[in-house]
Amino acid sequence: MDVDVVARVLSTLPEDDDHPYRTGPWRPQTTEWRADDLDVAGEIPADLDGVYLRNTENPVHPAIERYHPFDGDGMVHVIGFRDGRAFYRNRFIRTDGFLAEAEARKPLWAGLAERPSLSLRDGWGARGGLKDSSSTDVVVHAGVALTSFYQCGDLYRLDPLTLETLGKAEWHGDFPYACGVSAHTKVDPRTGELLFFNYGTDEPYMHYGVVSADDRLTHYVDVPLPGPRLPHDMAFTENYAILNDCPMFWDPELLKRGRHAARFHPDIPLRIGVIPRTGSKVQWFEAAPTYVLHWVNAYEEGDEIVLDGFFQEDPEPKDVGDGGHYQRMFRFLALDRMKTKLHRWRLNLKTGRCREERLTDSVTEFGVLNSRYGGVGYRYAYAATGVEGWFLFDGVTRHDLVTGEEETYKLPPNVYGSEPAMAPRLGSAAEDDGYLITLTTDMNDDRSECLIFDAARPADGPLARVRLPERVSSGTHATWAPGDSIPGWRTAESPERAVGLG
Ligand SMILES: [Fe+2]
């Protein structure tokens, strides 16, 4: 391995930190690395060609009073694969908030579990007063990695190879600065468009928009809702975008007093909104009450739209006294407590009715697919399994949505994974002809590896384990970008020399 330390970032976290989401598997990194020719156990397939990008919170300052796991600064990791070799980079996203706190050497914004009035400066986010750390999600659009924040904010533009922060999405001046953009923008592999939504506390409470393959805002419309809502994800088909109004939202009475307390309303249906991709009229469907954090995919079939996602059987888990203080406080992050199960909603555009069914009894979440099948009929979903009681992933499951069969690879005890990504093999034709990638945090051997599985047989275990220079913090959202979606990928001799995005 050819490795350099690029930078070290000053952390003001306490030496004796005891917060479980800032220690152990969630211990944040302060070092930024450049590593080429990574050491490998096994063999990196020569037809694995592109980059696995993973975002996630990586705090460098304590909270003003009370840290929430979603408050940390965004750090992106990239593991790139080309010609049977691998490279690694990690960088903090140089958000406005990150830079301001680096200068101040202390936290300046109140976090999710704190009163917004504690913020020392004006902030961002649907509820206001937060630091936009762009730490939630990452996609690649128009050759650039875009990071986003689940409470809405800017989209930060990163070079997908070096992870240098290139600035913010501007869309030639049309970026919706007043509301920002939510995490989970969607890239349509056929049109190259980026679909997005945002939400907030002012009417109409939601907007939906489209950005073209050449990075221009081509569509932006109001999506009126009954009040402020907390949508997290969206889906799309060839002709429609799919939005949602889940019955989990800030308590309206407390909101009037400036308090942001999310409550689940089991007597209010889930509403799923279908809007023509370039239209403005939303057709709403009612379904069984739940909160859906993540959808997997959607597609059109006759008069119906088929929509797959994770149904939470218990969106608001009760405190039953399990675990210590922090485990009880953050019980709603544990997949087993929410009982997240793959579910299918069928939305009939003619009758306006929704039929729905649970696809499995297994608890998985953070589902992905071969992105070439985004928005069209597909068969395979891959998702993470969760550690009981904690926000940690301990395996990956392959769901066959036609036969209902599933197979799971469980990581060894004390080894945690990230959201998987499916990387189609170079020249592949079949949907599951490719590789599954995840990034581990190994507490047994104090190291991190990028694992490569055969996507058709993940239970057989990894084909290769690629060693990173340092153990990285556990994390979540990731994406796969094929090499041919990155400018200069094939012609460059090294990842650094591939840079040159105009
Ligand atoms: Fe998410």
Side-chain angles (χ1 to χ4, degrees):
M1 178 161 56
D2 167 15
V3 59
D4 284 328
V5 170
V6 174
R8 292 190 201 279
V9 170
L10 176 79
S11 169
T12 62
L13 291 174
E15 291 278 335
D16 59 347
D17 204 351
D18 66 350
H19 198 296
Y21 288 99
R22 292 191 311 221
T23 57
W26 287 96
R27 180 194 68 185
Q29 284 169 272
T30 53
T31 303
E32 297 181 323
W33 300 90
R34 178 201 65 81
D36 290 322
D37 279 328
L38 301 180
D39 296 338
V40 184
E43 204 167 318
I44 299 172
D47 53 9
L48 176 60
D49 189 81
V51 296
Y52 173 81
L53 292 156
R54 200 208 79 182
N55 198 348
T56 295
E57 299 82 10
N58 188 97
V60 290
H61 303 291
I64 293 173
E65 285 182 352
R66 201 154 62 133
Y67 181 73
H68 185 283
F70 297 165
D71 292 342
D73 303 285
M75 175 181 274
V76 178
H77 307 263
V78 60
I79 299 105
F81 302 95
R82 202 172 55 173
D83 302 325
R85 293 159 62 188
F87 62 87
Y88 170 74
R89 308 283 185 273
N90 68 313
R91 295 289 183 277
F92 284 98
I93 306 160
R94 264 62 177 181
T95 63
D96 293 346
F98 174 84
L99 294 172
E101 290 188 338
E103 196 178 326
R105 300 190 169 206
K106 65 175 187 178
L108 297 173
W109 286 274
L112 193 67
E114 296 173 313
R115 285 170 289 126
S117 59
L118 288 175
S119 287
L120 302 174
R121 300 202 184 162
D122 289 344
W124 297 266
R127 67 171 237 185
L130 290 169
K131 176 174 63 172
D132 170 6
S133 49
S134 210
S135 55
T136 308
D137 187 21
V138 57
V139 300
V140 171
H141 176 245
V144 173
L146 295 176
T147 58
S148 55
F149 183 47
Y150 76 103
Q151 278 264 343
C152 300
D154 283 304
L155 295 177
Y156 280 85
R157 305 173 76 247
L158 273 61
D159 181 304
L161 298 177
T162 66
L163 303 182
E164 180 193 350
T165 304
L166 303 172
K168 305 175 207 175
E170 295 176 358
W171 303 337
H172 302 272
D174 290 332
F175 188 87
Y177 294 102
C179 297
V181 169
S182 172
H184 296 305
T185 59
K186 300 286 163 177
V187 179
D188 183 327
R190 274 161 296 283
T191 66
E193 289 170 309
L194 180 88
L195 312 180
F196 73 91
F197 68 97
N198 60 30
Y199 62 95
T201 50
D202 296 324
E203 287 185 53
Y205 306 114
M206 188 190 268
H207 300 89
Y208 154 73
V210 182
V211 179
S212 64
D214 63 356
D215 215 31
R216 290 180 184 276
L217 182 72
T218 55
H219 190 62
Y220 187 67
V221 292
D222 291 355
V223 179
L225 298 177
R229 293 294 185 266
L230 295 166
H232 182 73
D233 195 6
M234 64 175 289
F236 67 95
T237 69
E238 289 180 274
N239 295 295
Y240 299 94
I242 299 154
L243 306 167
N244 64 87
D245 169 4
C246 288
M248 168 90 86
F249 47 86
W250 289 311
D251 183 298
E253 290 308 310
L254 292 174
L255 193 59
K256 284 179 199 160
R257 304 207 295 270
R259 285 194 50 209
H260 299 78
R263 298 263 186 273
F264 180 61
H265 301 266
D267 49 338
I268 301 179
L270 159 67
R271 296 199 312 143
I272 301 168
V274 175
I275 180 169
R277 278 175 49 162
T278 55
S280 58
K281 191 171 181 330
V282 184
Q283 183 178 4
W284 289 100
F285 296 82
E286 292 194 353
T290 187
Y291 186 76
V292 179
L293 191 63
H294 298 117
W295 311 101
V296 178
N297 198 21
Y299 57 93
E300 296 162 30
E301 193 174 80
D303 293 334
E304 291 184 328
I305 286 176
V306 180
L307 171 66
D308 295 342
F310 294 94
F311 188 101
Q312 297 184 358
E313 291 186 352
D314 189 0
E316 201 172 49
K318 297 279 177 291
D319 180 0
V320 290
D322 285 352
H325 167 73
Y326 285 117
Q327 197 175 4
R328 289 161 63 192
M329 185 188 295
F330 298 117
R331 62 191 180 277
F332 50 86
L333 299 177
L335 302 188
D336 64 303
R337 295 299 312 273
M338 296 181 288
K339 300 186 179 67
T340 55
K341 296 181 180 175
L342 198 52
H343 190 89
R344 177 164 283 176
W345 292 262
R346 286 181 171 274
L347 314 170
N348 191 307
L349 298 169
K350 285 255 169 70
T351 66
R353 288 215 187 89
C354 171
R355 288 186 294 140
E356 52 188 306
E357 59 174 326
R358 199 84 83 246
L359 297 179
T360 174
D361 262 337
S362 303
V363 172
T364 61
E365 236 280 10
F366 292 79
V368 297
L369 75 161
N370 178 338
S371 64
R372 292 179 191 166
Y373 292 78
V376 298
Y378 76 118
R379 177 167 178 177
Y380 301 105
Y382 312 90
T385 60
V387 175
E388 226 170 85
W390 292 99
F391 190 35
L392 289 167
F393 301 151
D394 63 358
V396 58
T397 296
R398 174 190 200 258
H399 296 277
D400 181 332
L401 304 175
V402 171
T403 65
E405 288 171 15
E406 53 193 48
E407 64 171 76
T408 297
Y409 176 80
K410 280 282 182 192
L411 292 159
N414 309 313
V415 180
Y416 308 106
S418 303
E419 180 176 70
M422 198 282 184
R425 198 171 59 79
L426 266 187
S428 67
E431 183 185 337
D432 66 343
D433 186 7
Y435 304 99
L436 267 189
I437 316 280
T438 193
L439 178 55
T440 68
T441 300
D442 181 336
M443 299 303 290
N444 300 322
D445 294 323
D446 186 26
R447 67 181 177 189
S448 278
E449 293 177 322
C450 190
L451 305 184
I452 304 165
F453 299 84
D454 179 343
R457 284 182 292 279
D460 290 358
L463 303 169
R465 304 167 170 276
V466 180
R467 180 84 175 264
L468 269 52
E470 181 183 39
R471 168 159 65 86
V472 313
S473 171
S474 175
T476 54
H477 286 306
T479 195
W480 173 258
D484 63 11
S485 69
I486 298 171
W489 173 257
R490 263 291 134 201
T491 51
E493 289 167 22
S494 71
E496 296 298 354
R497 294 187 58 182
V499 185
L501 303 162

